[in-house]
Each structure stands twice: as structure tokens, then as C-alpha cells.
């Protein structure tokens, strides 16, 4: 097994974001299945009672930019201090350019900094 040792590297901050609005899965599943009993059995099987939903016109990238700006402001970190951007998402805005590259550009991080999405 190969082991890579990187010196002088640290994770100085991690940010995440979720939409503020929540949707009840029981109500939504009742609409879909047409039966409250069927909806309840689905909710019981999956164990997820609610889910977060973006407001119209808001993207995951918008949330991420807001979270990243908050992280920078609260950690006394400047865009020049960032050495990598790893954007973890199941819902990228587009295939190219990746969300991480969009964050890099919007935050003013140097274009030579590694930036990639992890889907």
C-alpha cells in the first residue's frame, strides 16, 4: 500500500449549506400515492420525515457561496490563503465548469488553486 505524507497541509475550515425551507414528506407522498396509509408506510420504510427544498430561483451554488463567504469572514481567512476547493454535491449546477471552479471564480481564489467537484 502506498502512503502519501503531505507536510504543511491542514484543513482550516469546512462549510456546508442546506435550504431553510423544509417540506413534509408525508404530505408530499400522500399527493403522489393518493393514500395517507400508503404514504405513511413509505415514510416508515425510508425513515425520512422531511426534506429540505430550495426556493424558486435559488441554486445550490448560491447557498454554497453564502456559506463560503461566511466561513471566510468568521475564520479570518482570505481567498489568497485557500489552497484547494473541494465541492461535495449530488446536485451540481452543470457538468462544466464544475461548481468548485465557479466558487473559485466568484470568491476570487487564484486560478492555479486546485478546484474540483466530488459527486
Amino acid at each position: 500500500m502506498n502512503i502519501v505524507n503531505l507536510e504543511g497541509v491542514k484543513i482550516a475550515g469546512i462549510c456546508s449549506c442546506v435550504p431553510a425551507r423544509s417540506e413534509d414528506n408525508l404530505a408530499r407522498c400522500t399527493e403522489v400515492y393518493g393514500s395517507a396509509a400508503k404514504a405513511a408506510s413509505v415514510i416508515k420504510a425510508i425513515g425520512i420525515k422531511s426534506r429540505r427544498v430550495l426556493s424558486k430561483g435559488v441554486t445550490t451554488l448560491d447557498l454554497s457561496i453564502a456559506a463560503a463567504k461566511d466561513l471566510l469572514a468568521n475564520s479570518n481567512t482570505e481567498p489568497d490563503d485557500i489552497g484547494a476547493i473541494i465541492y461535495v454535491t449530488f446536485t451540481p449546477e452543470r457538468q462544466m465548469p464544475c461548481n468548485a471552479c465557479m466558487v473559485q471564480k466568484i470568491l476570487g481564489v487564484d486560478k492555479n488553486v486546485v478546484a474540483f467537484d466530488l459527486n
Side-chain angles (χ1 to χ4, degrees):
M1 172 181 4
N2 292 332
I3 297 176
V4 176
N5 291 318
L6 298 174
E7 295 183 19
V9 176
K10 68 178 181 176
I11 297 174
I14 297 174
C15 62
S16 63
C17 53
V18 295
R21 195 174 68 138
S22 180
E23 185 175 276
D24 180 56
N25 276 344
L26 182 59
R28 180 71 178 118
C29 285
T30 301
E31 288 176 26
V32 171
Y33 294 110
S35 160
K38 174 68 174 170
S41 71
V42 169
I43 298 304
K44 184 177 179 182
I46 63 173
I48 302 172
K49 296 179 181 178
S50 65
R51 61 191 176 96
R52 299 295 181 146
V53 180
L54 284 173
S55 299
K56 189 171 182 113
V58 177
T59 68
T60 56
L61 185 60
D62 295 331
L63 294 177
S64 300
I65 294 296
K69 285 180 178 179
D70 188 51
L71 177 68
L72 290 173
N74 290 316
S75 66
N76 296 319
T77 303
E78 297 296 324
D80 290 341
D81 299 327
I82 296 173
I85 299 171
I86 304 167
Y87 193 109
V88 181
T89 182
F90 289 110
T91 55
E93 301 303 316
R94 63 192 66 75
Q95 289 182 335
M96 296 296 275
C98 67
N99 282 5
C101 291
M102 296 300 297
V103 169
Q104 182 180 31
K105 181 179 180 178
I106 292 167
L107 293 181
V109 175
D110 187 277
K111 67 180 180 179
N112 294 314
V113 168
V114 64
F116 62 92
D117 285 6
L118 183 60
N119 297 327

